[in-house]
Amino acid sequence: MLNKKIEEALNAQINAEMWSAYLYLSMASYCHSLGQTGMARWFEVQFKEEQDHAKILFNFIIQRNGNVTLTAIDAVPTTWDSILHVFEDTLVHEEGVTKLINDLFALTTQENDYATQSMLKWFIDEQVEEEENAQTIIDNLKMINDNGYGLYMLDKELGARAYVQAAPLANSTL
Ligand code: FEO
């Protein structure tokens, strides 16, 4: 059984993950508007991954006999100044999510909730990857420095990204 503080924090994290999904779908739309279809595809994969993150938390709350409370998702930005800016925003956003996950983890220590803490370990590892991915693309974009051929090649590379369902959902019956 989940205690109320943890239940509220997990529900807030579901909302944050759904906001992330919404943000990445908006970024995909921005990339489409510039004709960068590979980058748009990369953000569409992000969109699906964020929904997975929300579903992992949803499943966990149900498993622990808690209550899922889905709240309104705030509006997201709809435009950026440049492709570089959209990926810089991605990194800033993921750093913010890392802080949310770290705070949640700290709360589980405070509340002696080690089952939730164990579940959150997957998210801690995932955040390392999320930040690294965004940073690598930013580094590439800075190296390319608006070179048309470079942008074309990076767009092709990012468009090859395939969605893979998050591991904690693979064996779930929920
Ligand atoms: Fe759900 Fe991008 O972290």
Side-chain angles (χ1 to χ4, degrees):
M1 182 73 185
L2 282 174
N3 84 28
K4 279 291 152 201
K5 258 194 204 168
I6 299 281
E7 184 181 276
E8 271 172 28
L10 290 175
N11 273 302
Q13 191 60 34
I14 290 180
N15 186 277
E17 300 293 348
M18 292 304 290
W19 193 84
S20 298
Y22 211 31
L23 175 69
Y24 290 134
L25 193 59
S26 186
M27 287 174 165
S29 162
Y30 173 73
C31 292
H32 274 302
S33 77
L34 298 181
Q36 302 284 355
T37 52
M39 294 180 190
R41 157 115 193 131
W42 190 91
F43 279 114
E44 282 162 20
V45 173
Q46 281 292 107
F47 165 63
K48 288 186 190 157
E49 285 195 356
E50 298 301 345
Q51 291 174 79
D52 279 0
H53 300 172
K55 187 63 168 54
I56 293 166
L57 297 163
F58 172 99
N59 288 0
F60 183 79
I61 294 173
I62 305 280
Q63 271 183 318
R64 306 284 321 279
N65 207 19
N67 291 310
V68 169
T69 311
L70 299 178
T71 51
I73 302 168
D74 289 341
V76 291
T78 54
T79 191
W80 287 264
D81 297 337
S82 64
I83 286 291
L84 177 61
H85 186 208
V86 87
F87 282 100
E88 283 174 340
D89 245 21
T90 298
L91 179 59
V92 168
H93 174 64
E94 288 301 337
E95 286 168 346
V97 174
T98 299
K99 184 177 179 331
L100 291 178
I101 297 290
N102 288 346
D103 289 350
L104 248 175
F105 196 89
L107 181 68
T108 61
T109 303
Q110 238 178 59
E111 298 293 316
N112 295 329
D113 183 347
Y114 300 111
T116 302
Q117 188 166 94
S118 175
M119 181 275 295
L120 287 173
K121 282 184 184 153
W122 183 87
F123 282 85
I124 289 176
D125 295 340
E126 175 71 6
Q127 284 311 117
V128 173
E129 202 182 298
E130 292 273 51
E131 288 187 29
E132 185 190 7
N133 288 345
Q135 186 64 63
T136 301
I137 298 169
I138 290 167
D139 292 345
N140 285 336
L141 282 167
K142 285 185 175 165
M143 196 164 49
I144 288 165
N145 195 21
D146 278 340
N147 174 281
Y149 184 68
L151 272 177
Y152 171 76
M153 291 305 290
L154 183 62
D155 191 62
K156 250 179 135 46
E157 183 189 322
L158 295 182
R161 182 183 189 189
Y163 162 72
V164 179
Q165 189 183 44
L169 294 179
N171 300 320
S172 173
T173 51
L174 288 171

